[in-house]
Amino acid sequence: MNFRPLAIFLFLILFTSGINAQNFELGKVTIQELQEKENPKDTFAPAAILFKKGRTYFTYTEENGFIANHVYEFRIKIYKKEGLSWATQKVSYYVGYENLRDDKVSFSDAVTYNLVNGEIVKTKMKSDGNFNNKVNQYWNVASITLPNVKEGSVIEFKYVLKSENLVRLPDFEFQYDIPVNYFEYKSEIPEFFIYKTLIVGNIKPEMSGEVENIKQIYASNYKQIRSLYTGKDVPALKEESFIDNIDNYRGSIQNELELKRFPDKPVVDYTKTWEGLASTTYKDAEFGKELSERSFFEEDLKKLLQNTNSPKQRMDTIFKFVQNRMNWDKKRGYYTVKGVKKAYQEQAGNVAEINLLLIAMLKSAKIEANPVLVSTTENGIPLFPNRTVFNYVIAAAEIDGEQILMDASNKFTIPNILPLNVLNWKGRLIKSDGFSKEIELIPTSFSKRINTIKVSLSPETAQLNGTLSLQKTDYQALSFRENYGGKANESNIERLENDFGGIEIEDYKIENQNSNLSKPVFEKITFSSNKAYDIIGDKIVLNPLLFFTYGSNPFKLEKRQMPIYFGYPEQRKYNLFLKIPDGYKVESVPTPLRIVMEDKAASYTMNTMADESQIQIIVTQEISKAIFPTDDYDMIRDFFQKIIEIQNNKIILKKT
């Protein structure tokens, strides 16, 4: 699928490109740039990056060894008021290494340019515009705020990031939420370090490379690989509907160390296999040891399982016990902080402490259970076999050949229904013996919304009265409970009255709002409305699905840059029963029909039946895939557009 990054393995770059990088330099702002009123490629853009240049090179000292230096230069044009936020720039840098010194960031050459009476006026940033703030024990942020920035300004700045971390180089991003007119990235890598390079996103830079001899203190004569990536007219990466994490598709260049090979020394292989990842993770005390420590809960477990017989009963009982007892402290990760035992005693912990406790208790109950490492949607898609790509852990149990995924840190999940942000491509099940396998996280069965409407019309008052039953299962139920599980009836009534075009709710009941989690959520409503239909002459005209009609196509862009993400397969059913008022007869109802996408991944069926007393309309809409590639965008957009056209076919009742 074309949203997966393109992997390019660079041992030596043997290809060249015909592109010649333009000579962009800081301090060379032109009057034409200052006079420009809008970006020629994107007239709506509030700002544009006129150029971004990056360079990565290595230096060596006897004291510190090799250090990676990353230099970045920017020139940005501000067109509109909304673009003024680009005057503040922030760079995060890592300070949580165990065996390396902290990264360092320094800004320089920060200047604002304005056009005053036809002359270029420069305003340099003073030292009080430069800040360093501590975020947590692992990260700091360096920031600057450029002075005298207004609509029409051009700003420039440079920063250098120095790091002893040579395993993962900082990503070079070349796509932002504003256009990029030109970018270039140069890397100069000594032959001792072999990197695997990934190009992320749909934009493919022009690339060239060469091998050159170089002299430094470390060796009298060695080679380095010099690579150049360039591109121009990169479109803004704009927020679109139905997207998981926009950063998964942002154009960037990533480098991960594969080999380190120094003369007269053994080759060091940094390419972890997934099996190697499993083994090293279990060796960490904050992980593997926590799974083996069980004595503190054995007595409670024995009492808990007294009246259970089957493995499935034992699993459900243990899951509910851990879910109800433990309270998540909102911290993710797959390593424990205070340990499972202390978390159990305090009845609170991070994701790892809760779910490793769950796994340990399942194992004690003779149920096959193992951890599954996950990267949540906020964290991105795991590409390299590296522990840093994961930020979460869940449990996988196996009973009678069936695999069941669980997360007890969330109060509204059930077995095989995970938090929505965990449904991110694939997880990695690991065992203590090094065994590892990929786990599909995205479900394949439908989560359902079943809506039943029974209404009658009173033409003399232009009123509609009826009952409404809303049923939600699986992920639809989970989403509802997470958003509204703790809401009072008054809040839910207000929400529904707003969502359904100003109906007036006379009675509201809800079942399984935050209990009986394996059962659907039911909302039952008695309501009336004075806005549900039109009376035109001797006719009543109304939408076939009343307030369940799409107001507009959710897919409005002509072109889509990113995959369409629905999260999980979904089925929506609408059952409308309309009592025909006395003195009226049916003039027309929508024609029954069925729409199916070419690959049958989405369908929409409308059936209509009418007699002298009642109209019944049954609609089923199914989206059977969680993610659609960009190539399917036109089909998805057309699919929803056809639904809107169908829903515009009115029910018409005529006075007899």
Side-chain angles (χ1 to χ4, degrees):
M1 300 173 72
N2 63 351
F3 66 88
R4 290 188 185 179
L6 169 67
I8 302 171
F9 300 93
L10 294 182
F11 289 90
L12 293 176
I13 301 176
L14 301 177
F15 48 86
T16 59
S17 167
I19 188 170
N20 292 317
Q22 299 180 43
N23 184 24
F24 294 104
E25 295 181 20
L26 296 180
K28 303 293 185 180
V29 173
T30 65
I31 290 179
Q32 288 78 8
E33 289 171 328
L34 288 164
Q35 289 176 331
E36 192 172 75
K37 300 299 183 184
E38 60 186 26
N39 185 267
K41 299 287 185 178
D42 185 352
T43 57
F44 294 100
I49 297 174
L50 301 183
F51 73 77
K52 176 182 179 179
K53 295 167 64 177
R55 180 188 174 212
T56 293
Y57 66 96
F58 287 51
T59 53
Y60 177 85
T61 64
E62 291 288 347
E63 179 184 1
N64 302 318
F66 279 97
I67 293 177
N69 305 271
H70 311 283
V71 183
Y72 305 92
E73 298 178 359
F74 285 82
R75 179 182 296 164
I76 301 173
K77 170 71 178 185
I78 310 298
Y79 296 113
K80 302 176 183 179
K81 183 178 179 181
E82 295 81 7
L84 295 176
S85 60
W86 285 85
T88 298
Q89 294 291 325
K90 297 181 179 180
V91 177
S92 299
Y93 59 100
Y94 199 72
V95 294
Y97 300 112
E98 293 182 6
N99 303 314
L100 302 176
R101 292 185 300 175
D102 293 348
D103 291 351
K104 294 181 180 179
V105 170
S106 59
F107 279 94
S108 64
D109 301 309
V111 181
T112 302
Y113 298 84
N114 288 298
L115 196 61
V116 180
N117 298 325
E119 299 291 331
I120 298 176
V121 176
K122 296 168 56 176
T123 307
K124 295 184 178 181
M125 187 192 72
K126 297 180 180 179
S127 59
D128 59 2
N130 199 333
F131 304 93
N132 276 277
N133 295 309
K134 187 176 183 65
V135 177
N136 54 42
Q137 61 180 331
Y138 302 108
W139 292 95
N140 284 3
V141 171
S143 63
I144 59 170
T145 299
L146 286 97
N148 198 27
V149 179
K150 60 190 73 173
E151 294 175 57
S153 297
V154 171
I155 60 176
E156 289 186 338
F157 59 92
K158 172 182 177 180
Y159 72 87
V160 179
L161 168 62
K162 293 181 177 290
S163 178
E164 294 181 5
N165 178 12
L166 309 183
V167 175
R168 177 71 185 268
L169 304 182
D171 297 349
F172 179 84
E173 293 185 349
F174 55 79
Q175 191 172 31
Y176 295 82
D177 57 359
I178 59 175
V180 177
N181 290 6
Y182 175 79
F183 72 86
E184 67 175 45
Y185 176 60
K186 298 177 181 178
S187 62
E188 300 161 10
I189 310 295
E191 63 177 309
F192 317 119
F193 305 100
I194 304 300
Y195 286 87
K196 176 167 59 180
T197 300
L198 295 176
I199 308 298
V200 177
N202 293 322
I203 309 297
K204 297 180 182 179
E206 297 286 342
M207 295 175 283
S208 64
E210 61 180 354
V211 179
E212 61 181 3
N213 292 323
I214 191 168
K215 294 182 179 180
Q216 261 194 11
I217 298 173
Y218 178 77
S220 59
N221 187 11
Y222 64 90
K223 294 179 174 61
Q224 71 175 14
I225 301 171
R226 181 191 293 268
S227 305
L228 173 65
Y229 303 80
T230 62
K232 61 181 181 179
D233 298 331
V234 179
L237 191 64
K238 297 179 180 178
E239 285 286 349
E240 300 175 352
S241 56
F242 298 96
I243 183 69
D244 50 352
N245 180 356
I246 193 170
D247 288 329
N248 287 342
Y249 316 107
R250 188 180 303 280
S252 66
I253 301 167
Q254 301 179 2
N255 287 286
E256 179 101 352
L257 186 62
E258 285 192 307
L259 297 174
K260 187 165 68 174
R261 50 178 193 184
F262 284 93
D264 303 322
K265 291 184 179 180
V267 173
V268 180
D269 187 352
Y270 284 83
T271 309
K272 284 185 181 294
T273 63
W274 292 115
E275 289 71 22
L277 171 65
S279 296
T280 55
T281 301
Y282 264 94
K283 289 177 182 177
D284 287 318
E286 294 82 4
F287 192 92
K289 182 182 176 183
E290 299 296 331
L291 288 171
S292 60
E293 195 170 344
R294 305 175 189 176
S295 58
F296 63 91
F297 63 67
E298 289 289 2
E299 193 61 34
D300 289 340
L301 183 63
K302 185 177 179 180
K303 295 177 183 177
L304 188 66
L305 300 179
Q306 279 181 347
N307 299 317
T308 59
N309 298 314
S310 69
K312 181 69 164 55
Q313 283 183 313
R314 294 201 301 273
M315 183 198 74
D316 287 339
T317 301
I318 292 170
F319 175 81
K320 290 175 183 176
F321 173 78
V322 175
Q323 184 182 48
N324 292 331
R325 177 186 177 90
M326 303 302 295
N327 296 288
W328 180 36
D329 62 11
K330 305 304 179 184
K331 293 179 181 177
R332 299 189 179 114
Y334 59 94
Y335 284 126
T336 61
V337 175
K338 57 188 173 187
V340 170
K341 181 178 179 179
K342 188 174 182 181
Y344 185 81
Q345 293 167 344
E346 296 178 356
Q347 300 187 27
N350 66 9
V351 165
E353 285 152 353
I354 293 172
N355 284 329
L356 293 182
L357 169 66
L358 172 62
I359 294 167
M361 294 187 80
L362 290 171
K363 285 179 176 292
S364 287
K366 309 302 182 185
I367 294 172
E368 174 69 19
N370 293 286
V372 177
L373 304 183
V374 173
S375 175
T376 62
T377 53
E378 303 88 349
N379 195 54
I381 295 173
L383 301 171
F384 298 106
N386 189 305
R387 288 186 293 176
T388 62
V389 302
F390 297 108
N391 70 326
Y392 209 91
V393 62
I394 61 174
E398 187 172 323
I399 297 176
D400 297 330
E402 179 189 1
Q403 181 178 268
I404 303 159
L405 302 178
M406 293 171 282
D407 181 1
S409 69
N410 184 299
K411 293 297 184 183
F412 297 116
T413 62
I414 59 176
N416 271 341
I417 300 294
L418 302 170
L420 296 172
N421 66 334
V422 173
L423 306 183
N424 189 32
W425 201 26
K426 299 179 188 296
R428 177 63 55 170
L429 184 147
I430 60 175
K431 296 185 178 182
S432 57
D433 61 2
F435 175 82
S436 166
K437 73 173 181 177
E438 209 169 51
I439 298 295
E440 181 62 64
L441 297 171
I442 297 174
T444 55
S445 58
F446 287 119
S447 292
K448 298 178 180 180
R449 297 179 68 168
I450 302 172
N451 309 295
T452 301
I453 320 160
K454 297 181 180 180
V455 295
S456 60
L457 310 180
S458 301
E460 62 278 4
T461 60
Q463 193 172 45
L464 178 147
N465 296 280
T467 61
L468 179 59
S469 172
L470 307 175
Q471 177 182 346
K472 301 175 181 67
T473 72
D474 296 342
Y475 282 99
Q476 287 286 347
L478 172 64
S479 181
F480 178 90
R481 288 173 175 132
E482 287 188 327
N483 290 315
Y484 310 112
K487 301 288 185 181
N489 276 8
E490 292 77 11
S491 178
N492 283 319
I493 289 172
E494 182 180 355
R495 167 181 57 84
L496 290 166
E497 288 181 337
N498 291 330
D499 288 349
F500 293 155
I503 65 172
E504 293 186 13
I505 294 178
E506 298 160 7
D507 186 54
Y508 175 83
K509 295 178 181 177
I510 186 168
E511 297 177 8
N512 307 323
Q513 181 177 14
N514 49 23
S515 60
N516 298 322
L517 301 182
S518 61
K519 296 182 178 180
V521 173
F522 275 101
E523 293 178 281
K524 298 180 180 179
I525 302 158
T526 302
F527 72 96
S528 62
S529 175
N530 294 317
K531 304 174 183 178
Y533 57 93
D534 297 315
I535 299 178
I536 304 173
D538 62 349
K539 297 180 180 180
I540 295 174
V541 181
L542 70 162
N543 289 323
L545 291 182
L546 298 176
F547 32 71
F548 288 107
T549 303
Y550 285 106
S552 62
N553 193 331
F555 301 100
K556 297 180 174 63
L557 297 177
E558 285 299 315
K559 293 184 178 180
R560 175 96 177 189
Q561 298 185 55
M562 294 169 282
I564 303 98
Y565 178 83
F566 290 101
Y568 47 85
E570 178 191 76
Q571 181 191 79
R572 297 190 181 196
K573 297 193 76 171
Y574 304 94
N575 302 309
L576 172 69
F577 299 89
L578 171 64
K579 183 180 179 182
I580 298 173
D582 294 338
Y584 283 83
K585 66 178 181 179
V586 176
E587 180 173 288
S588 68
V589 294
T591 303
L593 52 77
R594 177 173 169 82
I595 305 169
V596 182
M597 276 181 53
E598 289 180 15
D599 61 356
K600 300 182 180 180
S603 65
Y604 185 91
T605 303
M606 174 181 282
N607 290 311
T608 59
M609 292 166 280
D611 56 29
E612 293 180 355
S613 61
Q614 180 178 265
I615 296 173
Q616 182 178 357
I617 296 180
I618 301 174
V619 169
T620 302
Q621 176 183 312
E622 294 182 345
I623 307 291
S624 60
K625 292 199 307 189
I627 303 175
F628 289 78
T630 310
D631 289 346
D632 286 352
Y633 176 66
D634 288 342
M635 284 196 299
I636 286 285
R637 185 180 60 177
D638 292 345
F639 174 76
F640 278 89
Q641 190 59 41
K642 288 176 181 176
I643 293 175
I644 291 170
E645 292 169 4
I646 292 168
Q647 293 177 348
N648 284 331
N649 295 325
K650 309 293 186 182
I651 295 174
I652 301 177
L653 306 178
K654 187 175 181 179
K655 198 168 188 179
T656 57

